[in-house]
Amino acid sequence: MAKHFLLLNLIAVVSFCFVVLAFEPSPLQDFCVADPASPVKVNGLACKDPKSVNAEDFYFSGLHLAGNTSNTFGSKVTAVNVAQVPGLNTLGISLARVDYAPWGINPPHTHPRATEILTVLEGSLQVGFVTSNPENRLITKVLNKGDVFVFPIGLVHYQRNVGYGNAVAIAALSSQNPGIISIANAVFGSEPAIETDILAKAFQIDESIAALIQSKF
């Protein structure tokens, strides 16, 4: 009986370890500055020689600058992840500045590798995320300056500026490379394209309408 109990505990510990390791592992040294030029293929990016590391590897300038929101959605995301700051490699964190024109949106999307915590710096934002199947419940709230909201990892979420002036937010994400899947682009703008009859059945629309939406992407 005692051996059986011990075995169950061991299985639980191992299972927990696998769950933890499914996300970004803790660093095993002070830093592992990314070396994009390295031919070594790893889950993430290979480390550059620590002796060649300098302050620029941990530095980014420009988040004080407003992004250009003159586009279809009226928003602009300025990302600061491992691609911009190589020193973020293996540290499991990144951030972004998001600018919104009046009534601009950051359209529905997911981050497959990160939870996001959003802080409103200026303006008012309607934010929301949708829970997974089968409930698909929309959880939404209007945020004002200084308010904070969390989007759980992998869930579809969005923001919309509900004010008549510009809005600004800062988002922190729990991955050096959170990834982004824009729902409309992924479904209607994939390469090669998803067959229109599949989209028509999935969205319960006519094939001609599915084709029309695809043409916009």
Side-chain angles (χ1 to χ4, degrees), residues 118-192:
L118 184 89
T119 303
V120 179
L121 301 184
E122 294 292 342
S124 298
L125 297 176
Q126 178 198 8
V127 302
F129 66 83
V130 180
T131 63
S132 56
N133 296 352
E135 189 180 30
N136 297 132
R137 183 161 66 102
L138 174 63
I139 296 176
T140 184
K141 187 172 181 62
V142 173
L143 307 180
N144 297 303
K145 183 176 180 178
D147 291 344
V148 175
F149 198 81
V150 174
F151 303 109
I153 184 171
L155 296 187
V156 175
H157 60 282
Y158 67 90
Q159 303 104 40
R160 176 174 64 166
N161 183 358
V162 291
Y164 291 95
N166 294 331
V168 183
I170 289 288
L173 301 111
S174 61
S175 172
Q176 69 181 47
N177 181 24
I180 182 167
I181 301 172
S182 298
I183 306 305
N185 295 66
V187 174
F188 292 102
S190 67
E191 291 291 343

